[in-house]
Amino acid sequence: DLTERPTVNTQIMPSTLSESGMGLFGTFFPSELSVASYEVYVVNGFNEDVINSSGALRVRGGRGSQKSDNNENKALVGRVGLSPRLGVNFGASVHTGAYDDAGDHNLTIFGLDAKVTRGVWELQGEYGRVSADIDKVTSPSAAETQQGAYGQTNIHFLHDYFLPASVFTGVVRWDWVDFDADVAGDSELGLTFGLNFRPVEDAVFKLDYASVWKTPPNGPRGDARGRFFFAVATYF
C-alpha cells in the first residue's frame, strides 16, 4: 500500500531475495477455524559481501550466486505460520548458514510477522534480527547484531464509490532499524503517511510522504528528512 518497502525488509531481511535450492511446503488444519503452514528449504545462502567495502555488516549486499555456492555448507530457511481464525495471521521464520568462503562463520536472520484484519481496518507488522559471526581481525568494526521492525495501520474507505470494486486506503507506517545493537546510535527511524486509490484490485495510484531520522554511531539524532512519493502500478 506504500511506494517504498519497510526498511527492515530492505536492510535486515531482504524482501526481494531469491536463491537456488530446494525444499518443501504445505498446509494443514489444526481445527475447523484454524490454518497452519510450513516451509523448509536448503539454499546456497549468503556470501562474504555481507561485509561491505567500508567494513560494515549489510546483509542485502551478500546475496549469493544463483549458480554456485561460495562454500561447501548450505543454508537452511524455514517458516511456520498460523491463522487461528479468519483475518488473523502470525508467522515465525529463520535463515541460517555459513557466509564466508571457508564456511567458518555463520549468519542467522530471525523474523516474526503478524497481520490482523477487522472490517475496514488492517494492522500488520514485522520484526527481524540478524546475528553474525564476525572475523574481528579482518572486520573489526562490523556489527555482530542488527535488528529492525515496522508497524502499519491501513483503513479502507469509499468502497465502490467511483467504480465497481474501487477503494481508497489510508496508511500510516512506523519504521525502525538498528544497524548495531551493541552500540548507541547507528540507527534509523521513519514515519510514513500514505493515501492510495485502486480503481480495480490490480491497479493502484499511490501518494506518500515519508520522514526519516538518522542517528550516527554514538551521536545525536539528526533532523527529519522528508520525501514525497507518487507511484502508479498495475499487475498481471
Side-chain angles (χ1 to χ4, degrees):
D1 285 302
L2 295 172
T3 304
E4 285 201 321
R5 296 181 180 93
T7 310
V8 67
N9 290 149
T10 59
Q11 301 298 327
I12 304 299
M13 299 183 291
S15 57
T16 56
L17 175 69
S18 61
E19 299 185 84
S20 297
M22 62 182 296
L24 303 171
F25 60 91
T27 302
F28 58 98
F29 303 90
S31 69
E32 292 184 357
L33 296 178
S34 60
V35 181
S37 62
Y38 65 89
E39 302 175 62
V40 181
Y41 305 97
V42 177
V43 297
N44 284 344
F46 293 97
N47 62 32
E48 289 190 335
D49 290 334
V50 297
I51 308 297
N52 67 16
S53 58
S54 299
L57 177 63
R58 292 294 185 267
V59 176
R60 65 175 290 113
R63 300 168 187 238
S65 169
Q66 295 279 11
K67 297 180 180 180
S68 60
D69 203 345
N70 68 319
N71 55 50
E72 296 182 354
N73 299 310
K74 297 302 177 186
L76 180 67
V77 186
R79 182 181 187 275
V80 292
L82 175 65
S83 175
R85 55 176 295 176
L86 187 64
V88 180
N89 294 276
F90 303 101
S93 54
V94 66
H95 185 306
T96 185
Y99 68 88
D100 63 312
D101 292 345
D104 295 330
H105 301 289
N106 288 338
L107 175 76
T108 298
I109 308 173
F110 174 72
L112 296 172
D113 62 269
K115 183 174 183 178
V116 178
T117 302
R118 181 86 175 185
V120 299
W121 291 93
E122 291 176 341
L123 300 175
Q124 63 190 61
E126 195 164 4
Y127 170 79
R129 185 178 180 89
V130 175
S131 298
D133 297 331
I134 302 296
D135 186 344
K136 288 299 184 179
V137 175
T138 59
S139 305
S141 61
E144 294 182 309
T145 306
Q146 297 180 335
Q147 58 186 341
Y150 85 90
Q152 181 173 315
T153 300
N154 304 334
I155 180 172
H156 305 286
F157 58 96
L158 294 180
H159 289 79
D160 310 323
Y161 188 81
F162 291 100
L163 294 168
S166 67
V167 63
F168 284 86
T169 302
V171 187
V172 179
R173 187 179 73 209
W174 166 84
D175 284 289
W176 165 68
V177 166
D178 186 350
F179 290 108
D180 192 340
D182 298 323
V183 302
D186 201 9
S187 60
E188 181 178 313
L189 285 173
L191 185 63
T192 304
F193 298 91
L195 176 67
N196 67 59
F197 171 62
R198 292 182 182 271
V200 295
E201 177 63 26
D202 294 333
V204 62
F205 299 84
K206 303 178 184 179
L207 179 63
D208 314 330
Y209 180 77
S211 296
V212 177
W213 296 263
K214 293 186 178 182
T215 304
N218 300 310
R221 181 176 299 168
D223 295 333
R225 301 186 64 181
R227 294 179 295 170
F228 280 103
F229 296 89
F230 176 71
V232 179
T234 187
Y235 314 92
F236 55 88

